[in-house]
Amino acid sequence: MSKPNIQLDNNGRLKHFLTIDGLKREMLNEILDTAESFTGVSERVVKKVPLLRGKTICNLFFENSTRTRTTFEVAAKRLSADVLNLNVSTSSTTKGETLLDTLRNLEAMHVDMFVIRHSDSGAAHFFATHAAPHISVINAGDGQHAHPTQAMLDMFTIRRHKGEFTGLRVAIVGDILHSRVARSQILALNTLGTSEVRVIAPRTLLPPDPRTMGVHVFHDLEEGIKDVDVIIMLRLQKERMTGALLPSEHEYFQLYGLTEKRLKAAKPDAIVMHPGPINRGVEMDSQVADGPRSVILQQVSFGIAVRMAVMSMTMGTQAQGAAAR
Amino acid sequence: MQAEAIEGLITEMAQAIKTRLEVQQATEPAMIGIHTGGVWLAERLHRLLNIEQPLGTLDISFYRDDFTRIGMNPKVKPSQIPFEVEDRHIILVDDVLQTGRTIRAAMNEIFDYGRPASIILATLVERSGRELPIQPSIVGVRPPLTHEQQITLTGPDPLNLIIGTSKQETRGTS
């Protein structure tokens, strides 16, 4: 971690937001605190502040997404920025345009920020490395690497309900091996000083040595969620079934599906989270998803505030660079 | 300036606001303080004037006109306006009026909550250095200060006005 973090500018402020890796606890807290002050904006008559007026933000999605893209779009609009939505899977790359060509063309349209989702790990880093110096890049999910804004909105939701991270026991359930969400969550939870982070998954959906990630490993759901404060269910990607990593959805639910009955093992005030969209009857049954412990829809609302925070913080450093010139 | 003298100024300001509201026939007013010094001051005025509506607070960080130059203030506090702004008489309170840019930003933010019937501006200190055509309605004190001198309110308890000569206060756009 001694190499310079390209996410930070010369003053140590957030310039790009690509991964939780390498960011200090103070920075994560600054994002959470800033997000806190943005939550009020969404509840007002005029749901807009003029902070990024005249800026152009490009949502560049090489992978399908509804929720993430929409909340980034809403966040940008509530900051008064102009938004360009590009679903590139249906666009130029199918005509043979390279990632760098795409970047150069959008730069020529004077875009100030890229929000990028791509199936290749490292795509957002590539953009941040090659983009003109005044441009900020936010990673909206790259391959199996990272999804830092999702992790931060989860941290925000946990902090809202539980306060401090010290003393908390958090369990992440599901496909840890392929999940960029889980990877970012584990980094964020540990950076923020969570007392115990647990992962609960079948062996086929765990990396070879999960303990190096700073987690406790469980293979049994009820044992794993015993006395936890927070349960994070991950989305099960259907294509894992075809990869022979899992026998069937039905069997997965039998072993790892969260039900009211199983939830009793957790603390009585434990909250249940899910990055969405939920496969009802696979990761959890509807009773839990719509029940009093579920904070899944709050995660969506908080996602807007967190993305507003990250966008304004990174654009703010861009401004500083301009003044220095 | 010491705490006791400042509390005296605040009492006079409260009286002046009361008179002003009567002349204007402004009933059921509400008060908004601007973070941070303005809120300390507003808490006292709000108590002295016995205003029925709960006190509102504004952090104008999202409305600053120098965001593109200095970036995000890392210590933004949430704005809270716990009453209907539409058609209400608003008393806007800040500690020091200098350039007028904070007040412009605050008024823009207030209008995003609704269209007030009127706004009157009360500041503890009015000083030279205006860059926008904004004048206070109620003023506690007008100290003669040179361009280099900075005046800062410290608090919340006790309140103190401190005059310094350093120019390193980059966020001073009162």
Side-chain angles (χ1 to χ4, degrees), chain B:
Chain B
M1 188 179 269
Q2 292 311 300
E4 225 168 277
I6 293 172
E7 299 294 346
L9 287 177
I10 294 173
T11 311
E12 285 170 29
M13 285 173 73
Q15 191 52 50
I17 292 170
K18 200 164 171 244
T19 309
R20 170 81 186 221
L21 290 171
E22 280 165 10
V23 170
Q24 244 181 273
Q25 293 178 312
T27 51
E28 295 177 51
M31 186 175 279
I32 297 174
I34 300 173
H35 279 297
T36 306
V39 174
W40 301 333
L41 195 62
E43 280 165 351
R44 290 164 165 80
L45 289 170
H46 191 264
R47 213 169 28 235
L48 289 169
L49 288 165
N50 227 344
I51 293 173
E52 197 179 319
Q53 299 295 329
L55 179 65
T57 60
L58 278 189
D59 186 311
I60 53 102
S61 296
F62 301 149
Y63 288 79
R64 295 183 74 99
D65 59 4
D66 53 1
F67 172 73
T68 52
R69 284 203 258 166
I70 62 171
M72 194 71 185
N73 175 4
K75 293 190 184 70
V76 186
K77 297 181 183 68
S79 292
Q80 273 161 343
I81 310 289
F83 49 81
E84 200 63 54
V85 166
E86 195 72 24
D87 283 334
R88 198 174 291 285
H89 296 282
I90 305 278
I91 308 154
L92 181 60
V93 181
D94 203 5
D95 49 3
V96 181
L97 175 65
Q98 185 175 356
T99 62
R101 289 178 191 272
T102 299
I103 302 304
R104 183 207 67 92
M107 288 199 290
N108 282 13
E109 180 158 7
I110 290 170
F111 273 79
D112 280 352
Y113 284 86
R115 180 183 183 275
S118 70
I119 299 177
I120 67 171
L121 174 61
T123 67
L124 180 62
V125 177
E126 185 197 8
R127 62 156 300 171
S128 57
R130 205 81 72 252
E131 292 165 8
L132 296 173
I134 284 172
Q135 303 307 329
S137 325
I138 311 290
V139 175
V141 64
R142 290 186 178 85
L145 296 172
T146 64
H147 186 65
E148 284 76 28
Q149 285 178 310
Q150 292 282 342
I151 186 159
T152 319
L153 182 69
T154 61
D157 212 13
L159 291 178
N160 264 312
L161 276 172
I162 293 164
I163 296 175
T165 46
S166 95
K167 287 187 77 181
Q168 60 198 4
E169 181 66 60
T170 51
R171 288 191 185 275
T173 55
S174 314

Side-chain angles (χ1 to χ4, degrees), chain A residues 27-319:
Chain A
M27 178 60 79
L28 300 192
N29 277 326
E30 191 182 323
I31 294 172
L32 296 177
D33 292 342
T34 308
E36 192 67 54
S37 51
F38 277 120
T39 53
V41 175
S42 298
E43 289 153 14
R44 303 189 333 198
V45 186
V46 177
K47 300 184 204 41
K48 227 175 178 33
V49 291
L51 214 50
L52 299 187
R53 198 161 57 92
K55 301 285 183 189
T56 303
I57 297 178
C58 180
N59 279 329
L60 195 52
F61 278 62
F62 295 85
E63 248 186 20
N64 282 336
S65 156
T66 309
R67 188 167 330 223
T68 303
R69 209 218 55 204
T70 311
T71 49
F72 267 111
E73 183 177 348
V74 170
K77 287 181 171 169
R78 293 205 175 145
L79 292 168
S80 303
D82 296 311
V83 185
L84 266 171
N85 285 314
L86 290 183
N87 294 321
V88 194
S89 49
T90 60
S91 178
S92 309
T93 45
T94 48
K95 297 178 200 155
E97 191 179 81
T98 69
L99 205 53
L100 203 55
D101 286 332
T102 307
L103 168 64
R104 293 289 175 245
N105 276 280
L106 289 165
E107 266 181 8
M109 298 177 205
H110 299 282
V111 166
D112 299 288
M113 169 181 281
F114 289 103
V115 175
I116 176 170
R117 166 170 289 193
H118 200 287
S119 55
D120 290 348
S121 302
H125 269 94
F126 178 86
F127 254 57
T129 313
H130 290 91
H134 68 278
I135 291 176
S136 290
V137 178
I138 295 180
N139 185 3
D142 64 327
Q144 295 172 12
H145 172 238
H147 192 353
T149 58
Q150 174 71 44
M152 289 315 290
L153 77 88
D154 295 329
M155 298 308 113
F156 188 88
T157 309
I158 294 171
R159 197 175 79 163
R160 265 290 178 97
H161 284 271
K162 301 292 172 191
E164 288 296 303
F165 287 85
T166 36
L168 286 190
R169 211 175 270 144
V170 179
I172 305 173
V173 188
D175 185 357
I176 309 292
L177 178 62
H178 301 94
S179 175
R180 57 193 175 206
V181 174
R183 229 170 294 282
S184 291
Q185 284 168 340
I186 292 166
L187 280 164
L189 285 166
N190 282 328
T191 306
L192 288 165
T194 310
S195 293
E196 189 183 342
V197 183
R198 299 176 175 181
V199 296
I200 308 168
R203 281 171 216 283
T204 50
L205 295 182
L206 280 170
D209 194 0
R211 277 170 202 84
T212 57
M213 301 167 87
V215 295
H216 298 263
V217 180
F218 292 83
H219 301 297
D220 180 88
L221 179 62
E222 270 162 276
E223 193 190 324
I225 64 173
K226 191 171 187 309
D227 295 329
V228 299
D229 301 276
V230 178
I231 305 169
I232 302 174
M233 304 301 293
L234 297 174
R235 179 175 160 78
L236 191 72
Q237 309 289 335
K238 306 255 179 170
E239 60 265 28
R240 305 294 171 233
M241 307 295 168
T242 53
L245 292 171
L246 279 176
S248 73
E249 285 184 10
H250 179 70
E251 192 164 332
Y252 182 84
F253 183 72
Q254 290 304 313
L255 290 168
Y256 292 99
L258 191 60
T259 59
E260 285 285 336
K261 186 163 166 282
R262 284 179 165 153
L263 191 51
K264 288 194 167 71
K267 280 195 185 160
D269 62 346
I271 55 169
V272 177
M273 298 167 57
H274 190 295
I278 312 167
N279 294 308
R280 288 170 187 264
V282 181
E283 295 111 31
M284 64 175 80
D285 66 15
S286 286
Q287 249 189 317
V288 176
D290 307 326
R293 320 277 280 279
S294 164
V295 295
I296 296 169
L297 291 176
Q298 287 179 33
Q299 288 175 266
V300 179
S301 305
F302 294 153
I304 296 169
V306 166
R307 286 170 178 135
M308 287 170 82
V310 172
M311 283 174 162
S312 52
M313 285 169 69
T314 51
M315 289 289 230
T317 61
Q318 166 179 116

